[in-house]
């Protein structure tokens, strides 16, 4: 479902290998994602990356994919501190790097908002009906209704 | 964030999204009216409306034997704004990554 994701990208005037270092080395991650202090990261699929979130606690990110210098992904349970990210409680953050005129194009997607925190039996229904619009699409449609699109009358049946 | 999570969870179910969309399309409706348009029972519609109500997405007013529901668009807009904030946070992180990458290349 396209509607359950955030997608952003940026062009960076630096070689792909350099950008890879910045997104995967604990010293740098601490600057762009943490509190400035170096972050502990076990850079392997299934490895854990620990991000200090101040008095809230820590985020225990679960690393999914490490393919230097092209792809780095991990699961992030943004609503839970001190709990390891799992497919049930987290979204998937994926960085992809590719060469660009300027040096490197870096894209990030965060996906899985539709299924976040949803119990098993519910998620099954979501996948069966995956042709239906995601919830962000519903927001757009309902906003259109709220801005005065005509409403079709309903006939009470009593 | 918890309020927003309630909204996200409430909208994760496709049938519930359809209930909400139908309700939005009609302005106001009762569970009985909605059940006539959807391939689910009135009882199922009532349950979906209860979840939507708990998440603050609809409000109901008693009308004779039934409750008349309407959509609370402000909660949906809050949720849309939350998604935009998350996207803006990623823009900030990407800008920091760019600055770090383009800055010190000596190491």
């Amino acid at each position: 479902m396209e509607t359950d994701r955030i997608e952003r990208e940026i062009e960076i005037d630096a070689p792909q290998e350099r950008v890879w270092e910045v997104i995967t080395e604990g010293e740098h991650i601490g600057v762009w994602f943490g509190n400035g202090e170096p972050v502990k990261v076990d850079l392997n699929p299934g490895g854990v990356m620990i991000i200090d979130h101040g008095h809230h606690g820590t985020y225990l990110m679960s690393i999914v994919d490490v393919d230097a210098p092209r792809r780095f992904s991990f699961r992030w349970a943004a609503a839970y501190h001190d709990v390891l990210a799992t497919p049930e409680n987290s979204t998937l953050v994926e960085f992809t790097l590719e060469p660009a005129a300027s040096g490197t194009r870096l894209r990030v997607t965060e996906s899985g908002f539709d299924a976040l925190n949803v119990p098993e039996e519910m998620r099954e229904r979501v996948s069966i009906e995956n042709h239906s619009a995601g919830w962000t699409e519903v927001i757009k449609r309902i906003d259109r209704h709220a801005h005065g699109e005509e409403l079709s009358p309903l006939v009470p049946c009593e | 964030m918890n309020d927003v999570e309630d909204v996200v969870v409430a909208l994760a179910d496709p049938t519930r999204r359809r209930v909400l969309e139908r309700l939005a399309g009609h302005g106001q409706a009762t569970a009985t009216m909605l059940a006539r348009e959807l391939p689910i029972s009135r009882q199922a519609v009532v349950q979906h409306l209860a979840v939507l109500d708990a998440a603050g997405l609809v409000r109901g007013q008693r009308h004779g034997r039934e409750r008349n529901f309407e959509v609370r668009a402000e909660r949906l807009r809050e949720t849309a704004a939350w998604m935009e904030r998350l996207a803006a946070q990623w823009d900030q992180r990407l800008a920091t990554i760019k600055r770090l990458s383009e800055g010190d290349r000596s190491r």
Side-chain angles (χ1 to χ4, degrees):
Chain A
M1 249 185 261
E2 277 304 298
T3 49
D4 81 335
R5 64 175 50 214
I6 291 168
E7 191 164 340
R8 286 297 201 248
E9 68 174 55
I10 197 167
E11 292 213 1
I12 299 178
D13 183 13
Q16 198 170 327
E17 287 71 20
R18 172 59 185 160
V19 178
W20 176 260
E21 286 174 2
V22 171
I23 64 168
T24 58
E25 291 183 2
E27 161 199 356
H28 300 300
I29 298 168
V31 177
W32 62 260
F33 208 165
N35 62 2
E37 295 294 311
V39 157
K40 277 192 201 131
V41 50
D42 171 13
L43 195 63
N44 291 292
V48 177
M49 178 164 80
I50 303 171
I51 308 264
D52 187 351
H53 197 213
H55 65 273
H56 300 291
T58 55
Y59 288 129
L60 303 181
M61 320 286 218
S62 176
I63 294 175
V64 176
D65 198 11
V66 182
D67 178 14
R70 286 179 291 273
R71 203 177 128 80
F72 175 47
S73 65
F74 54 87
R75 301 205 68 97
W76 177 20
Y80 300 90
H81 295 105
D82 310 314
V83 173
L84 186 64
T86 66
E88 286 73 34
N89 67 11
S90 66
T91 49
L92 179 66
V93 176
E94 296 170 278
F95 283 105
T96 50
L97 297 77
E98 58 187 36
S102 63
T104 306
R105 179 174 301 109
L106 176 64
R107 183 175 298 124
V108 63
T109 64
E110 183 176 357
S111 62
F113 292 100
D114 276 348
L116 202 60
N117 281 327
V118 182
E120 198 63 53
E121 52 88 26
M122 226 180 254
R123 207 161 333 103
E124 276 168 20
R125 263 181 286 160
V126 173
S127 58
I128 289 165
E129 306 199 29
N130 62 3
H131 57 279
S132 71
W135 62 270
T136 48
E137 180 59 27
V138 173
I139 289 173
K140 282 181 223 146
R141 285 191 212 163
I142 287 172
D143 215 34
R144 285 204 293 275
H145 285 305
H147 284 93
E149 268 178 38
E150 89 264 21
L151 310 169
S152 42
L154 256 184
V155 186
C157 67
E158 287 162 302
Chain B
M1 166 103 188
N2 283 333
D3 291 350
V4 169
E5 267 182 24
D6 287 346
V7 173
V8 172
V9 170
L11 294 179
D13 182 280
T15 306
R16 202 143 54 229
R17 289 201 292 268
R18 230 176 288 156
V19 170
L20 190 65
E21 277 193 73
R22 286 300 159 101
L23 187 56
H26 294 303
Q28 290 196 338
T30 64
T32 306
M33 295 176 193
L34 292 169
R36 296 176 80 199
E37 301 203 328
L38 294 162
I40 53 174
S41 70
R42 180 185 172 282
Q43 194 51 40
V45 172
V46 168
Q47 283 168 9
H48 286 305
L49 286 169
V51 176
L52 293 169
D53 194 2
L57 288 166
V58 302
R59 81 181 117 231
Q61 275 195 324
R62 191 150 284 289
H63 182 75
R65 280 169 36 229
E66 280 210 279
R67 289 174 79 198
N68 222 352
F69 284 91
E70 63 182 9
V71 172
R72 295 177 60 187
E74 66 272 17
R75 286 309 301 275
L76 286 169
R77 278 194 283 272
E78 274 172 36
T79 305
W82 172 71
M83 287 291 281
E84 277 164 26
R85 267 202 310 282
L86 293 184
Q89 286 170 2
W90 277 116
D91 283 337
Q92 278 177 5
R93 293 184 194 115
L94 290 181
T96 307
I97 291 168
K98 178 180 169 75
R99 183 168 52 76
L100 291 170
S101 302
E102 292 177 352
D104 175 19
R105 283 183 230 173
S106 56
R107 41 158 292 140

